[in-house]
Amino acid sequence: DRGDIIELTGTCFTTKRGEPSVLASSWNILAKSYSPIPTEHFGLKDEEERLRRRYLDILLDKNLAERFKRRSLFWNTARSFLLERDFIEVETPVLETIPGGAEARPFTTHHNALDMEVHLRISTGELWQKKCMVAGLPKTFEIGRIFRNEGMSKEHLQDYTQLEFYESFSDYKKGKVMIRELYLELAKKVFGKTTFSVHGHEFNLEDEWVDYNFCDIINDAYGIDPRDTTTEAVEKALEQHSIKHDKPVSVERGVDLLWKKYRTQLSGPGYLVQVPVYLEPLAKKSKNDPRTVERFQVILAGSEVGKGFSELNYPRDQEERFARQEELREQGDDEAQFADKEFVEALEYGMPPTFGFGVSERLFSFLEGVPVREGQIFPLLKPKK
C-alpha cells in the first residue's frame, strides 16, 4: 500500500530506460501504513489540519522540508558567527523565581519539590548573562526557548526560540555595526540573497541602514514630545488616531501604542534610536540627552526585528527604574518588568560597560516570507475535542 516502508535484498541495476532498480531476491515490510497517505494532488488543504499533522505536511511538501533545513542553518550560522568572535555559549535557567529581562506576561507554575511559585523565562537569560559580565566572562550568548503568555499573531507566539548575546567593553554604537554584519551573513548563507519582500515592503540588507529618531517621529506624527508629555496628551493622541487602548493609559503604554501604529510605514533596513528612558528599564541613559537611552531596534518591513543597547550598569539607577516598573504593575500593567533585587546586588560588585542584543525567530520567518507559526516545525495547537 502507499505509505508502506519495505526492505529489498537483491542486485541494484539501471534499466535500459535509465530507471534505477533492484532485482529483488527477497523483501520485508519494515512498517505497515494503516492510514492512507493523502495524494500530493489533494494534500492537506485546511491550515489547522496541516499544522496538526505536520509530519504529513512535510512528507507531501518537499519545499517545507527545505524550510526546516534553512531554519537549522539559520541558528547554526548565528552560532558560528559568535563563536568565531570568541563568544562562549552558556545555558541559563528556564525556571525563574523572578522573570526578568523583558516586558511580558509570564507563564506561572508550582515547583512541588521546593513548594514555591516559579515562572517560565521571558528572555534568554538577560539578567543571568549580565551576571556573567560581572563574573568576568567577557562575551556570552545563548540560543534557547522563551515563553510569553500573550496574544498570537503572524509575528507573535507564546513559545519560541531567541538568541541573546552580551559583550563587555562595548556599546550600542559598536553593536550596530556588528548586527548589520550578522544579518547580512544570515541572509547570504541561509537564503542566498539580501533583498526581501515582506508584508508589502521591500528592503535590501546591503543598503545603508538609516537611523529612525523615535522622538522626532512621535513629535511629527502626533504633536507630542515623548520625552516630556502627560497621560492626558497621550490619551488624546490615541483617540484622535483611533488607536485602541486601555483606560486609564500610562505614558509608557500609550507612547508605545503610538509608535506601533506608525512603524508599519517603515521598510528599513534601519535602527530605531533616541527612545525615552521610561520605555527601556535596562538600558543606559544617553550622554547627549539623559531623557533617552542608548538603544536601537532593527526595523524591517514595518516591524521590530531585534533589539540592542548599552546595558545599564549603575545599580542605583537600575533600582529606581525597577521601582517604576513595580508601580506600573500595581496599576494593573501585567507586562511591566519585575524588580530583581539580586540583579541589583550583582551590579553593586561592578559590571563593565556592556552591549547586549536579542533577536527571535521572527527574523527567520520574515526572511523566509511566512508567519512565525509556519516557521515552526510543530507549533502549539488546541487539542482535538
Side-chain angles (χ1 to χ4, degrees):
D1 291 331
R2 176 181 169 86
D4 286 355
I5 299 173
I6 65 170
E7 172 189 68
L8 296 173
T9 301
T11 303
C12 295
F13 70 101
T14 303
T15 67
K16 291 180 180 180
R17 294 179 177 271
E19 186 71 27
S21 304
V22 177
L23 181 60
S25 57
S26 64
W27 67 280
N28 184 37
I29 289 184
L30 300 179
K32 177 61 185 166
S33 174
Y34 289 95
S35 295
I37 295 176
T39 64
E40 293 182 21
H41 176 72
F42 292 102
L44 298 171
K45 301 301 183 183
D46 180 72
E47 180 185 359
E48 190 82 3
E49 197 62 26
R50 277 197 312 103
L51 295 174
R52 190 176 302 282
R53 295 197 285 174
R54 192 64 136 169
Y55 47 91
L56 291 180
D57 197 18
I58 297 170
L59 184 64
L60 295 172
D61 187 349
K62 299 308 177 186
N63 292 326
L64 195 56
E66 291 302 314
R67 174 182 300 164
F68 296 117
K69 291 179 184 178
R70 285 191 293 272
R71 179 185 169 105
S72 175
L73 180 59
F74 177 90
W75 289 118
N76 280 300
T77 299
R79 176 176 281 107
S80 297
F81 179 91
L82 293 169
L83 291 173
E84 289 167 3
R85 288 159 178 76
D86 298 323
F87 283 78
I88 63 169
E89 189 166 6
V90 297
E91 291 183 320
T92 60
V94 174
L95 291 178
E96 300 181 306
T97 54
I98 298 174
E103 296 182 358
R105 184 186 301 116
F107 286 92
T108 302
T109 188
H110 186 78
H111 194 298
N112 290 333
L114 295 177
D115 191 24
M116 65 180 186
E117 185 178 84
V118 292
H119 313 275
L120 291 175
R121 66 181 180 180
I122 56 176
S123 73
T124 323
E126 173 161 346
L127 303 188
W128 299 103
Q129 289 201 61
K130 285 191 275 192
K131 288 179 181 179
C132 290
M133 302 296 105
V134 175
L137 299 175
K139 299 180 180 182
T140 64
F141 77 95
E142 182 173 5
I143 299 173
R145 209 73 168 175
I146 67 173
F147 309 88
R148 298 183 179 184
N149 198 1
E150 298 173 344
M152 297 178 70
S153 74
K154 63 184 179 182
E155 295 184 15
H156 297 88
L157 292 177
Q158 287 68 49
D159 66 301
Y160 54 91
T161 302
Q162 177 155 305
L163 159 69
E164 289 192 33
F165 69 82
Y166 296 83
E167 179 177 9
S168 60
F169 300 102
S170 185
D171 61 18
Y172 83 118
K173 289 183 179 179
K174 296 177 184 176
K176 288 167 73 175
V177 177
M178 181 181 179
I179 293 311
R180 184 176 184 273
E181 292 174 355
L182 170 62
Y183 280 41
L184 276 170
E185 186 154 333
L186 289 167
K188 291 175 179 178
K189 288 191 174 180
V190 180
F191 301 97
K193 59 181 181 178
T194 61
T195 299
F196 299 86
S197 295
V198 182
H199 304 332
H201 296 267
E202 184 167 302
F203 57 87
N204 186 344
L205 293 172
E206 284 194 310
D207 288 346
E208 180 182 356
W209 290 33
V210 299
D211 280 353
Y212 299 114
N213 188 302
F214 184 94
C215 294
D216 289 349
I217 286 173
I218 299 299
N219 206 346
D220 293 344
Y222 304 106
I224 59 176
D225 185 341
R227 296 164 296 186
D228 183 24
T229 189
T230 63
T231 53
E232 291 77 17
V234 170
E235 189 159 325
K236 182 179 179 181
L238 290 167
E239 291 173 353
Q240 285 178 341
H241 292 83
S242 303
I243 301 173
K244 293 181 180 180
H245 61 283
D246 295 331
K247 294 183 180 180
V249 68
S250 66
V251 169
E252 290 86 347
R253 291 292 160 256
V255 169
D256 188 47
L257 288 171
L258 292 172
W259 156 245
K260 287 176 179 176
K261 172 77 172 181
Y262 184 91
R263 75 181 182 197
T264 57
Q265 306 172 42
L266 305 175
S267 295
Y271 309 100
L272 180 68
V273 296
Q274 294 298 102
V275 177
V277 173
Y278 57 76
L279 286 181
E280 189 48 74
L282 297 169
K284 187 176 290 185
K285 290 179 181 177
S286 171
K287 298 179 181 66
N288 298 326
D289 185 352
R291 295 172 297 174
T292 64
V293 290
E294 295 185 354
R295 184 191 96 169
F296 68 84
Q297 284 179 284
V298 177
I299 303 299
L300 297 175
S303 283
E304 299 155 4
V305 195
K307 179 170 71 171
F309 46 81
S310 303
E311 301 291 343
L312 178 57
N313 60 348
Y314 306 137
R316 296 289 76 80
D317 190 354
Q318 185 65 82
E319 195 171 41
E320 290 172 4
R321 293 201 221 173
F322 275 156
R324 172 55 183 163
Q325 292 295 302
E326 285 292 292
E327 288 178 13
L328 292 173
R329 292 192 66 79
E330 291 171 2
Q331 294 169 12
D333 186 346
D334 56 6
E335 292 186 15
Q337 293 196 23
F338 289 77
D340 191 330
K341 294 180 181 178
E342 289 189 4
F343 174 64
V344 174
E345 179 184 302
L347 290 182
E348 291 174 349
Y349 289 91
M351 185 179 84
T354 297
F355 169 66
F357 183 81
V359 62
S360 76
E361 64 182 75
R362 180 189 299 173
L363 176 59
F364 171 76
S365 68
F366 261 49
L367 302 184
E368 183 72 16
V370 296
V372 285
R373 192 162 74 156
E374 289 283 357
Q376 288 191 350
I377 190 165
F378 294 117
L380 180 66
L381 298 167
K382 284 186 176 181
K384 280 186 173 180
K385 293 182 179 179

